[in-house]
Amino acid sequence: MRYILRRMAALLATMLLVSLLAFIAFDLISGDAATAMLGTEATEESLAALRAELGLDRPLPVRYGEWLAGFFTGDLGTSQNYHQPVWELLAPKVGVTLRLSLLSFLLITAVSIPMGLWSAGRTRGEGLRTGLNQLCMAVPPFFTGILLSWVFGIILKWFTPGQLPDRAADPAGAFRYLLFAAAAIALPRVAMTVRMLRGVVNDEMRKDYVRTAISRGNDRAGVLRRHVLKNALAPVVTFLAQTMAEIVAGSIVVEQVFAIPGLGRMLVTSISNRDYPVVQAIVVILAFWVVLAGTAADLINARIDPRLRLEDGA
Amino acid sequence: MNRTDREKSAKKAKKEKNSCLTAGLILTGILAALILLGFFWTPHDPNAMAAGPKFAPPSLRHLLGTDNFGRDIFSRVLQGAGATASIALTTLAIGAGGGILLGALTGYFGGLADEILTRVGDVLTAFPSILLALVVISILGPGNRLNVMLSLGLVFIPSFARVTRTAFAALRDVNYVKSARLMGAGSGRILAVHILPNTAPVLLPALTIGFNNAVLAEASMSFLGIGVTPPDASLGYMLSEAQGMLLAAPWYAGATGLVIVLLVFGVGLIGEGLRRDEKGVL
């Protein structure tokens, strides 16, 4: 319990730090929004009036506090480009990105764990498998995405590239479309997870307790399942949490390839438009997602391996 | 596993390590030669419109065909690979240079600065580098080659600092460092002459991974249109261009993407080979 509280406190502290940095950085560069909105012809009085209206005349800590509160009240300011509240703009996109990320995560877990376990301890064709593994790691998600759209979209016509079907009207079509995008994100990460799992299990299989168990007459598969798996699990859980971060990165690019209207695509558009209130909000949301995955991994590991709870985890 | 078995598998791993490294070096060597060639000579002017007919499929005259303006794709890919590689190397120089310096100092001297920087680094490395790079570049201003290199370079510093710090901290109190200290060697000399060469088994694979991450991150950013933009287009930008012509000229996207894959694959194999060299048996 104390461990959980400590992890939660660390999560909170990290998020405060991240949001503070994001706020200050974008506050410094975005300059004076009032001047930007009124142009150079504006008089001093109208500028001052607009600043007061936008709340820009108040000190930085106050504005930071209000912005932070906005994540809970839904008031994150107004997009300079779309002239629409940021929250209204982002709310429908959060779900899309979330679905894409989760789908990709499930795909990675479901494919790579059995493959990694199968591959561990087998030496036949190892050279070939190493080569194949390295090759898969080398394919960037956006290239996989383009290849998938070409093969399955243009040649086989399983979906129309660039058109995410409406989820209400065609749920199966929308799911299939997202599945291809998720696969593009997953491919290099599956290769990495297999490689990592294989290494961990092989290291573990060389240990004394495994030799003892086998010398007592247990078969390899049984030892793997009953003894090795639990010891090998902790690094894998940590690795999968890092995978969540990579998925976020991958979704930024793959949303562009498949024209999926999610947070990543919005982020890219907003950076090009220098629409800082939107960029600020998306960065904090994505960062929260990444930090949350890390905390979840720590908590899961603490359940698997009680020794970890005793360490000074900050 | 009995003794001879173990020896056999050790031997096998050794042989395979060599093949990993060899294959990587050959592949990277060929690509590097082509890229170097591309700096001086390309079969056609990469930006010349109507060097041939529009959307010509691959042929002897145009090895990889032509695009919507009739530009020679092979020449464009050569030039784009050059841009990608030089940006990645510059990024690596900034990231590795800064990271190794920072990691060496904090790892060797320790203290409060080390404590703080390590914590900050832990937080930063938890985030995907492309997300951080996008934040930095939106502050510096997108669409500019120098800003791309700077933002990516800065983002790669923490991961290099982390690897280097661990390696230097481990060697801080070994006997040869102690005796060098007793002989009156200055800290700078100990760091550069006595410790740095011995961290090579850790740092060299880290450099290959760093290079690959730089290639992929730059390609992603340029693909998104925030990185390098024409006239000096890199592979990432060309791929986004090629995506629009997927129907008419699928070989454009195929060739551009394949060059990125081969570049990363080759350097990845070198890294894997180096890493196994260090570890012996995998």
Side-chain angles (χ1 to χ4, degrees):
Chain A
M1 197 57 213
R2 274 193 51 202
Y3 181 80
I4 297 179
L5 284 178
R6 214 163 47 205
R7 292 304 314 160
M8 287 300 163
L11 169 79
L12 215 62
T14 312
M15 276 325 295
L16 275 176
L17 187 70
V18 169
S19 64
L20 185 65
L21 285 178
F23 185 79
I24 293 177
F26 288 106
D27 196 76
L28 285 180
I29 46 158
S30 58
D32 188 10
T35 323
M37 284 166 87
L38 292 180
T40 43
E41 305 281 298
T43 59
E44 264 315 308
E45 292 83 62
S46 62
L47 276 176
L50 186 63
R51 279 195 202 111
E53 194 192 317
L54 292 171
L56 289 176
D57 52 347
R58 285 162 314 141
L60 189 88
V62 175
R63 282 185 289 135
Y64 170 66
E66 283 184 354
W67 176 69
L68 200 62
F71 279 97
F72 302 99
T73 58
D75 176 21
L76 286 172
T78 313
S79 156
Q80 287 159 10
N81 191 47
Y82 297 92
H83 303 289
Q84 216 182 333
V86 173
W87 187 256
E88 228 169 77
L89 206 61
L90 297 186
K93 301 185 191 304
V94 175
V96 179
T97 300
L98 210 60
R99 277 200 297 282
L100 178 62
S101 304
L102 284 177
L103 202 57
S104 190
F105 185 78
L106 288 177
L107 214 57
I108 292 170
T109 317
V111 174
S112 62
I113 288 185
M115 261 175 87
L117 290 178
W118 177 84
S119 146
R122 281 187 174 75
T123 45
R124 256 187 83 195
E126 197 184 321
L128 186 70
R129 272 188 284 136
T130 307
L132 206 64
N133 193 272
Q134 287 285 336
L135 188 64
C136 289
M137 279 197 261
V139 190
F142 51 92
F143 185 47
T144 319
I146 291 177
L147 286 180
L148 288 176
S149 337
W150 184 55
V151 175
F152 294 101
I154 293 181
I155 297 179
L156 295 173
K157 299 204 186 327
W158 287 9
F159 64 90
T160 318
Q163 272 175 5
L164 173 67
D166 185 50
R167 207 157 65 95
D170 181 10
F175 178 76
R176 201 166 48 210
Y177 194 88
L178 282 184
L179 197 63
F180 280 107
I185 301 175
L187 180 70
R189 216 47 209 181
V190 166
M192 281 178 218
T193 315
V194 168
R195 176 168 176 271
M196 173 293 146
L197 185 59
R198 188 185 135 79
V200 172
V201 172
N202 278 349
D203 280 349
E204 209 61 40
M205 289 298 267
R206 272 195 278 273
K207 287 194 176 159
D208 286 343
Y209 76 91
V210 173
R211 200 177 47 197
T212 308
I214 288 179
S215 69
R216 282 180 172 178
N218 294 298
D219 63 329
R220 190 186 161 277
V223 175
L224 185 68
R225 200 172 51 240
R226 275 195 300 278
H227 303 289
V228 172
L229 210 53
K230 204 167 176 184
N231 283 308
L233 214 52
V236 175
V237 172
T238 308
F239 191 79
L240 284 175
Q242 289 162 9
T243 296
M244 207 65 235
E246 291 303 319
I247 291 174
V248 166
S251 72
I252 297 175
V253 186
V254 166
E255 280 176 14
Q256 193 77 11
V257 178
F258 286 88
I260 294 170
L263 285 181
R265 203 143 192 260
M266 194 70 209
L267 177 66
V268 172
T269 321
S270 303
I271 288 176
S272 302
N273 293 335
R274 307 199 173 212
D275 195 348
Y276 296 118
V278 182
V279 176
Q280 237 172 5
I282 296 179
V283 166
V284 172
I285 294 173
L286 292 182
F288 178 65
W289 186 223
V290 169
V291 177
L292 195 65
T295 306
D298 285 344
L299 292 181
I300 293 171
N301 277 343
R303 268 214 81 83
I304 298 173
D305 188 347
R307 283 172 298 184
L308 291 175
R309 275 174 247 163
L310 297 174
E311 275 172 33
D312 179 38
Chain B
M1 213 189 251
N2 63 35
R3 194 185 191 86
T4 47
D5 264 357
R6 194 170 297 170
E7 271 166 13
K8 223 187 271 169
S9 78
K11 217 178 212 171
K12 207 173 159 198
K14 187 97 185 155
K15 203 175 118 217
E16 201 204 306
K17 160 224 104 184
N18 284 340
S19 62
C20 242
L21 195 59
T22 319
L25 285 173
I26 292 174
L27 183 57
T28 312
I30 294 173
L31 285 170
L34 278 173
I35 287 171
L36 279 179
L37 177 77
F39 281 121
F40 302 107
W41 176 85
T42 48
H44 298 267
D45 180 351
N47 290 316
M49 311 268 180
K54 288 178 184 179
F55 294 130
S59 63
L60 272 183
R61 192 172 147 68
H62 298 285
L63 285 176
L64 295 171
T66 58
D67 69 0
N68 57 333
F69 294 119
R71 295 178 296 192
D72 182 55
I73 291 176
F74 183 67
S75 307
R76 288 184 66 71
V77 169
L78 270 190
Q79 192 205 32
T84 296
S86 53
I87 293 170
L89 284 175
T90 318
T91 301
L92 189 64
I94 300 172
I100 290 175
L101 189 67
L102 209 61
L105 293 176
T106 53
Y108 183 72
F109 291 110
L112 186 67
D114 172 44
E115 185 80 12
I116 295 171
L117 284 174
T118 307
R119 287 289 161 97
V120 173
D122 281 346
V123 173
L124 285 178
T125 43
F127 293 102
S129 46
I130 182 91
L131 184 64
L132 291 178
L134 285 177
V135 172
V136 177
I137 204 162
S138 70
I139 291 168
L140 294 177
N144 171 313
R145 187 177 174 136
L146 187 71
N147 288 351
V148 174
M149 297 191 289
L150 212 57
S151 62
L152 285 174
L154 287 175
V155 163
F156 285 138
I157 287 179
S159 60
F160 275 107
R162 184 187 226 176
V163 175
T164 315
R165 182 196 168 275
T166 315
F168 272 74
L171 294 177
R172 184 170 52 197
D173 292 319
V174 296
N175 282 333
Y176 62 78
V177 172
K178 276 186 189 157
S179 62
R181 218 176 284 144
L182 284 176
M183 281 159 76
S187 297
R189 187 177 163 79
I190 290 178
L191 287 177
V193 180
H194 296 284
I195 302 185
L196 187 64
N198 288 299
T199 57
V202 186
L203 289 188
L204 286 181
L207 282 176
T208 63
I209 296 172
F211 176 81
N212 279 348
N213 286 339
V215 169
L216 292 174
E218 186 278 324
S220 309
M221 273 169 98
S222 299
F223 179 81
L224 295 174
I226 315 182
V228 189
T229 42
D232 51 14
S234 74
L235 292 175
Y237 178 80
M238 288 166 60
L239 202 54
S240 73
E241 210 176 54
Q243 199 197 354
M245 306 171 205
L246 207 51
L247 206 57
W251 52 84
Y252 189 9
T256 314
L258 201 62
V259 173
I260 300 178
V261 172
L262 289 179
L263 198 60
V264 175
F265 182 43
V267 176
L269 282 178
I270 295 178
E272 180 72 20
L274 288 172
R275 214 178 53 85
R276 290 190 182 193
D277 205 13
E278 152 72 359
K279 245 180 124 182
V281 190
L282 188 77

